Each structure stands twice: as C-alpha cells, then as structure tokens.
C-alpha cells in the first residue's frame, strides 16, 4: 500500500444522517475566524471535500465536519462543516455528531451527567451540552446561533410550478419554508423525485430573483435548502421533507432547518419561548427544539434556539488516496 494522502475520521450518524468527523490529516486551515477558514476552504480545499464526501468514499447525501483548533478564546474546538454540496456556515445534525464523537473518543474532558463543549463554527459560537451516562453520550442539546425570519409569506413565480407562497428564515443556513400543498405533492417518499425537483426549482427561483443575505456572515447569501412542510403540521409537532442542493434529502430532522422553522413560528406568534417543538424528518426521526431567548441580528428581531437529538458512532476510518487512484476528488454520479 502506498498513500499520497491519509485522513483519520470517526463516522457517526445523527438520527439517520451521517457525519464523518475528521480528526486528523487535514491540518489547520488558514483564516482569522472560522468563517474565514470556511471561505478559504471553499476556494482551496474543495478537492479535499470531494475526496471525503463524494463517491467512492462518500455518497450523494454525505456530510462531515473538519475538526480545527478554535480561533475564539471562549471555544474548545473549531469546526468547518462539509457535505456533498459544499461548505456550510452551520450544521445542526453535524454538531450533534461532533459532540458525541468528542465525548465518546475522550477528545474532551468528560463530566457526568452533562459535558459542555463550546464550538467555534463559521456561523458563530454554538454550545453543545451532552447528556452522558456511563461514558456514553445519550443525547446532545445544542444552543444554536441567532435565528431569524428574512421574509414571511412572500410570493414568487417558479418555473414549471407557477406562483407560490413561501417564507425564508435563517437557522445557521437560509431555508425556504414551503407548504407541500403549494406544489400539489403528497408527503410520501415514493414521490421524492418530484418533491426534489420542485425544491430545486424553488431554490433557483429564489436565488435568481430575490437571494437572501446574512447581515453579518460573509458568503451566506443563497438558499440551498427547501423545507417542505407536511399537511397537519403545527407549532407543537411538524413533519417535513428537506430538499437540499444539488439533489438529496436530509435524513435527520435538520437542526438548522428546525431552528429556522421555530424562528418562523415565533414570528407568526405561534411558538412562545421555552415551549417544546418536535420536528420529524422524512424518515420519521425526531429533534426536539425550544426557543430560549429573543435577541437581534443586524438590528432585526431574532431568537436563540436549542435542538436536542441523538448520534451514534458507526465506524473508525483511515481514508487513503493512492498515487494511481483516478478519482482524487471522488466523483458525483
Ligand atoms: O442538521 O443543520 C442540519 C443540516 C444541514 C444540512 C443537513 N443537515
């Protein structure tokens, strides 16, 4: 065996969604903030992302996290999130996976019943509180970055669909929130190809006609996620299909999407602070969210969400690149 590159990772899944937590072989990414590191990685390390996320080492809905030393003094670890579609400012299921891996591999000092880990992520500081029993991470509650509504009940014309009503909210990424009824499709995995096609058309329309712009986080200026809300959902319990660019569904209930949805429900006056909100994924797994405070982002109203979910370690990997491998950046099928 001869390898040009060797990357160490701990693989996990959070309520069904993978997080490949990269623990070694990448080094420190240049940048004065974690978002600068994300922007640097977008420009210079996209091949590494492809190597870890694309086939044959990953797959079309693969997701991961590059562990980094933090840049901020008040954080324990830094994280740059990667996935099949690019680099994210924040990832909720990924943070739950990272926190579980840090605890269960002893990469942080573990205290029971709660181990608190402060994570420096591109979107800001995220605090993970891990419930630990006999050394095992049984659940993780993350205190997410400030989340807010960008627009409520806007109208847009979407090619192939017509005019629809939608909202956009930020929960670590920007989300279009659309009732599934708006596109005339049932909440049924047998119709996933049609739901995905509708999601991609809606993303295109928003990004072409009215892209959002985060007032503080550079390079956070598009919608790559459409949260299709299933009929019968409300501010107590909601089901959704999360369509993600360029063509896959979140298997988890999506931590940043759940945060965006809670910001939307709060803005409508339907979800008060300190009230549990259960969000169910397309495969039937759940996160429980809760809004714990009101705040502002760039002078506009925002909320601080928490998300509780579970993750499990699924493997320990050494990912190798041989000199003769024709796919050093993987491939997309
Ligand atoms: O859990 O925040 C999340 C997430 C983003 C993309 C996939 N999952």
């Amino acid at each position: 065996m001869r390898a040009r590159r060797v990357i160490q990772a701990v693989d996990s899944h959070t309520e069904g969604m993978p997080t490949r937590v990269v623990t070694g072989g990448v080094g420190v990414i240049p940048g004065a903030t974690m978002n600068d590191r994300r922007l640097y990685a977008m420009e210079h390390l996209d091949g590494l992302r492809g190597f870890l996320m694309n086939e044959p080492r990953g797959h079309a809905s693969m997701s991961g996290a590059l562990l980094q030393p933090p840049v901020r003094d008040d954080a324990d670890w830094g994280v740059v999130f990667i996935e099949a579609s690019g680099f994210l400012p924040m990832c909720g299921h990924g943070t739950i996976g990272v926190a579980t891996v840090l605890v269960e591999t002893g990469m942080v000092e573990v205290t029971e019943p709660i181990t608190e880990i402060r994570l420096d992520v591109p979107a800001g500081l995220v605090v993970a509180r891990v419930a630990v029993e006999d050394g095992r991470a049984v659940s993780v509650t993350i205190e997410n970055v400030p989340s807010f509504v960008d627009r409520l009940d806007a109208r847009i014309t979407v090619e192939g669909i017509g005019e629809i009503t939608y909202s956009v909210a930020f929960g670590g990424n920007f989300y279009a929130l659309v009732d599934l009824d708006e596109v005339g499709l049932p909440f049924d995995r047998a119709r996933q190809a049609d739901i995905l096609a509708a999601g991609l058309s809606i993303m295109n329309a928003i990004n072409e006609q009215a892209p959002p712009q985060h007032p503080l986080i550079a390079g956070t200026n598009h919608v790559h996620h459409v949260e299709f809300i299933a009929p019968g959902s409300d501010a107590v319990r909601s089901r959704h299909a999360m369509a993600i660019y360029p063509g896959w569904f979140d298997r988890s209930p999506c931590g940043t999407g759940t945060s965006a949805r809670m910001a939307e429900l709060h803005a409508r006056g339907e979800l008060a602070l300190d009230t549990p909100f259960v969000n169910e994924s397309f495969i039937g797994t759940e996160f429980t969210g809760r809004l714990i405070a009101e705040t502002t982002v760039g002078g506009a109203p925002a909320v601080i969400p928490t998300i509780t979910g579970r993750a499990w370690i699924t493997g320990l990997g050494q990912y190798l690149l041989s000199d003769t491998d024709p796919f050093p950046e993987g491939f997309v099928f």
Side-chain angles (χ1 to χ4, degrees), residues 32 48 104 132 143 147 149 174 178 205 210 220 231 242 263 265 281 289 308-309:
L48 170 72
E104 294 198 354
V132 187
E143 188 175 321
S147 302
V149 165
F174 278 113
V178 180
T220 304
M242 181 66 76
L265 291 167
S281 72
T308 302

Side-chain angles (χ1 to χ4, degrees), residues 205-288:
I206 296 172
N207 291 331
E208 277 169 29
Q209 298 173 41
Q213 171 69 60
H214 194 287
L216 307 175
I217 306 171
T220 304
N221 51 11
H222 55 255
V223 170
H224 273 173
H225 303 74
V226 177
E227 187 163 343
F228 284 110
I229 316 290
S233 297
D234 58 25
V236 175
R237 186 177 189 92
S238 193
R239 293 185 306 158
H240 70 277
M242 181 66 76
I244 304 184
Y245 177 88
W248 54 283
F249 288 96
D250 199 337
R251 275 64 170 152
S252 85
C254 195
T256 50
T258 302
S259 300
R261 173 89 166 119
M262 289 194 292
E264 180 225 9
L265 291 167
H266 187 71
R268 292 188 191 282
E270 295 176 20
L271 183 64
L273 297 186
D274 297 317
T275 309
F277 169 71
V278 176
N279 205 13
E280 187 181 316
S281 72
F282 210 9
I283 66 164
T285 54
E286 292 176 4
F287 283 159
T288 301

Side-chain angles (χ1 to χ4, degrees), residues 101-293:
V101 166
L102 290 174
V103 164
E104 294 198 354
T105 59
M107 292 178 74
V108 288
E109 193 181 324
V110 177
T111 54
E112 297 196 15
I114 300 291
T115 298
E116 184 174 296
I117 311 169
R118 299 171 70 81
L119 296 168
D120 182 0
V121 310
L125 183 76
V126 172
V127 181
R129 295 188 181 91
V130 187
V132 187
E133 283 173 20
D134 294 331
R136 213 180 77 68
V138 290
S139 70
V140 181
T141 298
I142 60 169
E143 188 175 321
N144 197 7
V145 296
S147 302
F148 58 90
V149 165
D150 176 83
R151 68 199 76 157
L152 215 48
D153 298 329
R155 301 277 293 165
I156 195 162
T157 300
V158 179
E159 203 180 316
I161 298 177
E163 204 178 350
I164 62 160
T165 301
Y166 75 108
S167 300
V168 173
F170 179 83
N173 302 288
F174 278 113
Y175 287 83
L177 302 151
V178 180
D179 284 339
L180 205 39
D181 285 345
E182 285 288 311
V183 294
L185 290 167
F187 187 66
D188 183 349
R189 269 160 67 187
R191 300 296 300 276
Q192 60 180 277
D194 298 320
I195 298 174
L196 191 53
L200 293 174
S201 300
I202 292 169
M203 290 173 213
N204 280 343
I206 296 172
N207 291 331
E208 277 169 29
Q209 298 173 41
Q213 171 69 60
H214 194 287
L216 307 175
I217 306 171
T220 304
N221 51 11
H222 55 255
V223 170
H224 273 173
H225 303 74
V226 177
E227 187 163 343
F228 284 110
I229 316 290
S233 297
D234 58 25
V236 175
R237 186 177 189 92
S238 193
R239 293 185 306 158
H240 70 277
M242 181 66 76
I244 304 184
Y245 177 88
W248 54 283
F249 288 96
D250 199 337
R251 275 64 170 152
S252 85
C254 195
T256 50
T258 302
S259 300
R261 173 89 166 119
M262 289 194 292
E264 180 225 9
L265 291 167
H266 187 71
R268 292 188 191 282
E270 295 176 20
L271 183 64
L273 297 186
D274 297 317
T275 309
F277 169 71
V278 176
N279 205 13
E280 187 181 316
S281 72
F282 210 9
I283 66 164
T285 54
E286 292 176 4
F287 283 159
T288 301
R290 201 178 282 269
L291 299 174
I292 58 166

